[in-house]
Amino acid sequence: MDIVNYRKQRTALAVRVAASPAAVLCALIAGAALAGTACRYSASGETAPSGRAASEKKMVLISVGENGQSFKMGGGTNPVRTVKLSEDFLMSNHEVTQGEWKAVFGEDATDNPSRFTGDNLPVENVNWYMAIAYCNKLSRREGLTPCYTVNGITEADWDTLSFSDVVSRASADNDDWSDVDCNWNATGYRLPTEAEWEYAARGGIADTDKNVWAGTTDGTKLGEYAWYSANSGDKTHEVMTKLPNGYGLYDMSGNVREWCWNWNGGYPDDGVTDPKGNPSGTTRSTRGGSFINTIENSAHCHMLVAWGGGSYDPKNGYERLGFRVVRTVTK
């Protein structure tokens, strides 16, 4: 397959091109093989405004080019390593909302674990297992191949697996859920790796000294990009109500922290490709800032393990913790 046709097919995954000049322009731009290209036009041809309904979200194409993309991962008080991503991926432009959660798990109030309620608020108080269950159920709903395999649960079982089932099965020490496998080539939804999350959060800026927060290096402007302790009123807020970063991704530096795939552990070796973390562990990594974090310890694009709150027991959920989804784009 020639490069132009390949790029056109990948672009179709990220943008549903409607009969509007803006949408067509976006498709052409993404097809030009620009690393990190992100289309910010909706199907109506309008620039996506803040606070738009959750049902109008999109998956943003994060491109690493034909030969992959290396970048400096880490910074601040944490070591810096060169890592490489070899595959493009699609990332939701916002954190999973309660409206989206209810569309998958049901409208009953007991199926929504969030402390702060509202359809356009990020779902929170979800543990890691709830997040992967959501990913598989959403994949099945959309006719995609689920990424995660849990012993004893068939693909069809995900269709009827209820929220209470997930709570009872995955909120205790369950070896089947702890040993979950991920098919990285599957077409369905999954959690990002830490490397994918950080690459996306940087918004196209590779220099570790030039993107302290997702969207800005100026602490006096952080409030324009993130809900954090100084402006949140100690609560979550509707997604997409702050400015996005360079890739058009919202709330990467605030509102709620976000689960990632990785077991928590040391940094990858320098020069590694597609790092996915330790094969086992006791806590799973999270990234980003939340509504309770201060400017000193929240919202950095780089690792937050030095802060001491960068990873959590996957069985536990917290009001400051949610997630967003990605999909692999395979060649």
Side-chain angles (χ1 to χ4, degrees):
M1 179 183 297
D2 62 73
I3 292 176
V4 173
N5 286 333
Y6 166 58
R7 289 286 173 180
K8 286 180 179 178
Q9 288 193 16
R10 290 197 309 181
T11 300
L13 288 171
V15 185
R16 294 183 178 179
V17 179
S20 68
V24 173
L25 175 61
C26 246
L28 292 174
I29 291 173
L34 297 175
T37 297
C39 181
R40 299 198 186 104
Y41 288 94
S42 65
S44 65
E46 300 174 349
T47 303
S50 297
R52 86 169 9 186
S55 61
E56 298 181 52
K57 81 171 178 66
K58 66 176 179 292
M59 301 293 288
V60 175
L61 174 64
I62 309 297
S63 175
V64 297
E66 287 299 311
N67 299 312
Q69 181 69 42
S70 296
F71 72 105
K72 298 292 187 180
M73 182 175 176
T77 60
N78 300 293
V80 177
R81 297 286 189 272
T82 298
V83 301
K84 181 178 181 179
L85 296 179
S86 66
E87 297 284 356
D88 295 350
F89 58 99
L90 301 171
M91 175 175 273
S92 172
N93 65 347
H94 68 255
E95 295 157 337
V96 173
T97 67
Q98 293 172 40
E100 293 167 326
W101 179 270
K102 290 190 291 185
V104 170
F105 277 109
E107 294 286 338
D108 194 298
T110 60
D111 295 330
N112 181 3
S114 304
R115 173 187 174 187
F116 307 103
T117 56
D119 281 354
N120 281 343
L121 295 178
V123 67
E124 27 87 1
N125 203 29
V126 293
N127 68 27
W128 189 87
Y129 301 114
M130 295 173 189
I132 67 165
Y134 172 90
C135 290
N136 269 14
K137 287 178 70 67
L138 180 61
S139 298
R140 290 282 298 177
R141 282 170 59 90
E142 296 190 7
L144 304 172
T145 302
C147 293
Y148 299 117
T149 300
V150 175
N151 187 41
I153 301 179
T154 67
E155 280 197 18
D157 288 340
W158 293 105
D159 297 340
T160 56
L161 193 72
S162 68
F163 179 69
S164 61
D165 289 335
V166 177
V167 171
S168 63
R169 297 186 190 190
S171 295
D173 290 319
N174 186 316
D175 289 340
D176 289 336
W177 283 78
S178 295
D179 295 336
V180 60
D181 288 323
C182 182
N183 177 2
W184 300 98
N185 294 318
T187 58
Y189 295 93
R190 58 177 176 81
L191 298 177
T193 65
E194 284 196 79
E196 289 172 331
W197 190 97
E198 183 168 325
Y199 183 82
R202 291 184 182 280
I205 303 175
D207 192 327
T208 57
D209 295 327
K210 293 184 178 179
N211 49 355
V212 179
W213 299 280
T216 185
T217 61
D218 187 349
T220 65
K221 295 183 178 180
L222 180 57
E224 299 176 19
Y225 293 86
W227 292 109
Y228 69 113
S229 63
N231 63 3
S232 70
D234 291 326
K235 63 182 180 180
T236 61
H237 292 263
E238 291 193 357
V239 300
M240 300 172 66
T241 52
K242 292 294 184 180
L243 294 177
N245 74 351
Y247 285 159
L249 304 172
Y250 295 82
D251 296 316
M252 296 292 280
S253 286
N255 223 0
V256 291
R257 292 177 62 82
E258 300 175 16
W259 284 112
C260 292
W261 161 260
N262 305 55
W263 286 108
N264 186 45
Y267 266 64
D269 293 334
D270 200 47
V272 70
T273 298
D274 298 327
K276 297 178 175 65
N278 293 345
S280 62
T282 57
T283 59
R284 293 277 185 176
S285 296
T286 65
R287 299 301 296 266
S290 78
F291 68 93
I292 67 169
N293 291 134
T294 65
I295 192 171
E296 291 81 14
N297 68 11
S298 75
H300 292 64
C301 290
H302 58 66
M303 284 277 201
L304 280 178
V305 292
W307 171 59
S311 65
Y312 297 88
D313 187 321
K315 300 187 300 297
N316 296 337
Y318 300 91
E319 63 191 30
R320 59 185 175 272
L321 182 54
F323 67 105
R324 77 177 68 216
V325 295
V326 302
R327 289 176 58 196
T328 300
V329 179
T330 56
K331 294 183 176 69

